[in-house]
mmCIF file of all heavy atoms in Angstrom:
data_model
loop_
_atom_site.group_PDB
_atom_site.id
_atom_site.type_symbol
_atom_site.label_atom_id
_atom_site.label_comp_id
_atom_site.label_asym_id
_atom_site.label_seq_id
_atom_site.Cartn_x
_atom_site.Cartn_y
_atom_site.Cartn_z
ATOM 1 N N ASP A 161 20.159 88.673 133.809
ATOM 2 C CA ASP A 161 19.386 89.848 133.425
ATOM 3 C C ASP A 161 19.115 89.806 131.929
ATOM 4 O O ASP A 161 19.887 89.249 131.154
ATOM 5 C CB ASP A 161 20.150 91.134 133.753
ATOM 6 C CG ASP A 161 20.391 91.299 135.240
ATOM 7 O OD1 ASP A 161 19.477 90.947 136.013
ATOM 8 O OD2 ASP A 161 21.469 91.778 135.630
ATOM 9 N N GLY A 162 18.013 90.417 131.526
ATOM 10 C CA GLY A 162 17.679 90.471 130.121
ATOM 11 C C GLY A 162 18.603 91.404 129.361
ATOM 12 O O GLY A 162 19.301 92.235 129.939
ATOM 13 N N PRO A 163 18.624 91.274 128.032
ATOM 14 C CA PRO A 163 19.446 92.154 127.210
ATOM 15 C C PRO A 163 19.038 93.616 127.381
ATOM 16 O O PRO A 163 17.881 93.921 127.653
ATOM 17 C CB PRO A 163 19.167 91.675 125.786
ATOM 18 C CG PRO A 163 18.645 90.288 125.935
ATOM 19 C CD PRO A 163 17.894 90.281 127.228
ATOM 20 N N GLU A 164 19.997 94.517 127.223
ATOM 21 C CA GLU A 164 19.703 95.939 127.304
ATOM 22 C C GLU A 164 19.731 96.555 125.911
ATOM 23 O O GLU A 164 20.456 96.106 125.026
ATOM 24 C CB GLU A 164 20.716 96.665 128.198
ATOM 25 C CG GLU A 164 22.149 96.604 127.692
ATOM 26 C CD GLU A 164 23.090 97.441 128.554
ATOM 27 O OE1 GLU A 164 22.830 98.651 128.720
ATOM 28 O OE2 GLU A 164 24.083 96.878 129.049
ATOM 29 N N LYS A 165 18.915 97.577 125.715
ATOM 30 C CA LYS A 165 18.909 98.270 124.431
ATOM 31 C C LYS A 165 20.150 99.146 124.325
ATOM 32 O O LYS A 165 20.457 99.922 125.224
ATOM 33 C CB LYS A 165 17.657 99.133 124.282
ATOM 34 C CG LYS A 165 17.543 99.781 122.917
ATOM 35 C CD LYS A 165 16.281 100.612 122.776
ATOM 36 C CE LYS A 165 16.475 102.017 123.311
ATOM 37 N NZ LYS A 165 15.349 102.914 122.957
ATOM 38 N N VAL A 166 20.855 99.017 123.197
ATOM 39 C CA VAL A 166 22.034 99.855 122.986
ATOM 40 C C VAL A 166 21.861 100.806 121.808
ATOM 41 O O VAL A 166 22.530 101.833 121.745
ATOM 42 C CB VAL A 166 23.312 99.001 122.812
ATOM 43 C CG1 VAL A 166 23.740 98.413 124.135
ATOM 44 C CG2 VAL A 166 23.115 97.895 121.790
ATOM 45 N N TRP A 167 21.001 100.460 120.858
ATOM 46 C CA TRP A 167 20.654 101.370 119.771
ATOM 47 C C TRP A 167 19.170 101.231 119.495
ATOM 48 O O TRP A 167 18.595 100.152 119.665
ATOM 49 C CB TRP A 167 21.433 101.045 118.496
ATOM 50 C CG TRP A 167 22.872 101.446 118.531
ATOM 51 C CD1 TRP A 167 23.379 102.715 118.427
ATOM 52 C CD2 TRP A 167 24.005 100.577 118.663
ATOM 53 N NE1 TRP A 167 24.758 102.689 118.501
ATOM 54 C CE2 TRP A 167 25.166 101.391 118.641
ATOM 55 C CE3 TRP A 167 24.143 99.192 118.798
ATOM 56 C CZ2 TRP A 167 26.441 100.858 118.747
ATOM 57 C CZ3 TRP A 167 25.413 98.652 118.912
ATOM 58 C CH2 TRP A 167 26.555 99.489 118.889
ATOM 59 N N ASP A 168 18.557 102.303 119.040
ATOM 60 C CA ASP A 168 17.131 102.212 118.732
ATOM 61 C C ASP A 168 16.869 101.638 117.355
ATOM 62 O O ASP A 168 15.708 101.364 117.009
ATOM 63 C CB ASP A 168 16.440 103.573 118.884
ATOM 64 C CG ASP A 168 17.067 104.669 118.033
ATOM 65 O OD1 ASP A 168 17.813 104.346 117.088
ATOM 66 O OD2 ASP A 168 16.808 105.856 118.316
ATOM 67 N N SER A 169 17.921 101.440 116.558
ATOM 68 C CA SER A 169 17.744 100.851 115.236
ATOM 69 C C SER A 169 19.083 100.372 114.704
ATOM 70 O O SER A 169 20.158 100.791 115.171
ATOM 71 C CB SER A 169 17.150 101.866 114.253
ATOM 72 O OG SER A 169 18.080 102.914 114.003
ATOM 73 N N LEU A 170 19.021 99.508 113.709
ATOM 74 C CA LEU A 170 20.231 99.081 113.015
ATOM 75 C C LEU A 170 20.853 100.258 112.271
ATOM 76 O O LEU A 170 22.084 100.377 112.184
ATOM 77 C CB LEU A 170 19.884 97.947 112.049
ATOM 78 C CG LEU A 170 20.992 96.971 111.657
ATOM 79 C CD1 LEU A 170 21.587 96.296 112.876
ATOM 80 C CD2 LEU A 170 20.437 95.927 110.693
ATOM 81 N N SER A 171 20.013 101.148 111.742
ATOM 82 C CA SER A 171 20.528 102.360 111.094
ATOM 83 C C SER A 171 21.370 103.174 112.066
ATOM 84 O O SER A 171 22.455 103.661 111.720
ATOM 85 C CB SER A 171 19.371 103.216 110.577
ATOM 86 O OG SER A 171 18.737 102.625 109.478
ATOM 87 N N HIS A 172 20.880 103.330 113.284
ATOM 88 C CA HIS A 172 21.617 104.081 114.305
ATOM 89 C C HIS A 172 22.947 103.404 114.616
ATOM 90 O O HIS A 172 23.984 104.066 114.753
ATOM 91 C CB HIS A 172 20.752 104.189 115.562
ATOM 92 C CG HIS A 172 21.297 105.097 116.605
ATOM 93 N ND1 HIS A 172 20.688 105.281 117.828
ATOM 94 C CD2 HIS A 172 22.414 105.865 116.643
ATOM 95 C CE1 HIS A 172 21.398 106.124 118.560
ATOM 96 N NE2 HIS A 172 22.451 106.483 117.865
ATOM 97 N N MET A 173 22.937 102.084 114.728
ATOM 98 C CA MET A 173 24.171 101.355 115.002
ATOM 99 C C MET A 173 25.217 101.603 113.924
ATOM 100 O O MET A 173 26.380 101.905 114.207
ATOM 101 C CB MET A 173 23.881 99.856 115.117
ATOM 102 C CG MET A 173 25.113 99.028 115.482
ATOM 103 S SD MET A 173 24.814 97.225 115.408
ATOM 104 C CE MET A 173 25.145 96.926 113.649
ATOM 105 N N PHE A 174 24.807 101.484 112.662
ATOM 106 C CA PHE A 174 25.767 101.663 111.582
ATOM 107 C C PHE A 174 26.180 103.130 111.433
ATOM 108 O O PHE A 174 27.316 103.410 111.035
ATOM 109 C CB PHE A 174 25.207 101.112 110.270
ATOM 110 C CG PHE A 174 25.318 99.613 110.162
ATOM 111 C CD1 PHE A 174 24.177 98.821 110.089
ATOM 112 C CD2 PHE A 174 26.554 98.994 110.126
ATOM 113 C CE1 PHE A 174 24.280 97.442 109.985
ATOM 114 C CE2 PHE A 174 26.671 97.612 110.031
ATOM 115 C CZ PHE A 174 25.534 96.830 109.958
ATOM 116 N N ARG A 175 25.306 104.071 111.756
ATOM 117 C CA ARG A 175 25.717 105.480 111.743
ATOM 118 C C ARG A 175 26.790 105.730 112.785
ATOM 119 O O ARG A 175 27.788 106.418 112.525
ATOM 120 C CB ARG A 175 24.511 106.395 111.995
ATOM 121 C CG ARG A 175 23.579 106.547 110.824
ATOM 122 C CD ARG A 175 22.686 107.787 110.980
ATOM 123 N NE ARG A 175 21.889 107.758 112.195
ATOM 124 C CZ ARG A 175 20.671 107.224 112.272
ATOM 125 N NH1 ARG A 175 20.131 106.638 111.208
ATOM 126 N NH2 ARG A 175 20.009 107.262 113.410
ATOM 127 N N ASP A 176 26.594 105.192 114.000
ATOM 128 C CA ASP A 176 27.614 105.340 115.042
ATOM 129 C C ASP A 176 28.923 104.676 114.628
ATOM 130 O O ASP A 176 30.012 105.186 114.909
ATOM 131 C CB ASP A 176 27.122 104.735 116.354
ATOM 132 C CG ASP A 176 26.208 105.669 117.130
ATOM 133 O OD1 ASP A 176 25.956 106.797 116.649
ATOM 134 O OD2 ASP A 176 25.732 105.279 118.214
ATOM 135 N N LEU A 177 28.830 103.526 113.967
ATOM 136 C CA LEU A 177 30.025 102.841 113.491
ATOM 137 C C LEU A 177 30.756 103.703 112.470
ATOM 138 O O LEU A 177 31.991 103.844 112.535
ATOM 139 C CB LEU A 177 29.650 101.495 112.878
ATOM 140 C CG LEU A 177 30.802 100.704 112.243
ATOM 141 C CD1 LEU A 177 31.862 100.338 113.280
ATOM 142 C CD2 LEU A 177 30.270 99.448 111.546
ATOM 143 N N LEU A 178 30.029 104.289 111.546
ATOM 144 C CA LEU A 178 30.655 105.140 110.532
ATOM 145 C C LEU A 178 31.379 106.317 111.172
ATOM 146 O O LEU A 178 32.523 106.623 110.801
ATOM 147 C CB LEU A 178 29.590 105.645 109.551
ATOM 148 C CG LEU A 178 30.074 106.650 108.505
ATOM 149 C CD1 LEU A 178 31.145 106.056 107.614
ATOM 150 C CD2 LEU A 178 28.889 107.155 107.674
ATOM 151 N N VAL A 179 30.737 106.967 112.129
ATOM 152 C CA VAL A 179 31.365 108.108 112.802
ATOM 153 C C VAL A 179 32.625 107.666 113.544
ATOM 154 O O VAL A 179 33.671 108.318 113.474
ATOM 155 C CB VAL A 179 30.375 108.782 113.769
ATOM 156 C CG1 VAL A 179 31.084 109.823 114.627
ATOM 157 C CG2 VAL A 179 29.235 109.437 112.994
ATOM 158 N N ALA A 180 32.530 106.547 114.249
ATOM 159 C CA ALA A 180 33.694 106.056 114.999
ATOM 160 C C ALA A 180 34.855 105.742 114.063
ATOM 161 O O ALA A 180 36.010 106.086 114.355
ATOM 162 C CB ALA A 180 33.313 104.824 115.811
ATOM 163 N N LEU A 181 34.571 105.086 112.947
ATOM 164 C CA LEU A 181 35.628 104.723 112.021
ATOM 165 C C LEU A 181 36.244 105.953 111.358
ATOM 166 O O LEU A 181 37.474 106.090 111.279
ATOM 167 C CB LEU A 181 35.083 103.785 110.942
ATOM 168 C CG LEU A 181 34.664 102.381 111.379
ATOM 169 C CD1 LEU A 181 34.017 101.638 110.214
ATOM 170 C CD2 LEU A 181 35.854 101.589 111.920
#
Side-chain angles (χ1 to χ4, degrees):
D161 297 322
E164 62 175 304
K165 185 179 85 169
V166 287
W167 286 286
D168 56 17
S169 67
L170 205 58
S171 289
H172 189 183
M173 183 187 86
F174 281 116
R175 285 198 302 270
D176 279 0
L177 176 62
L178 175 61
V179 171
L181 292 174

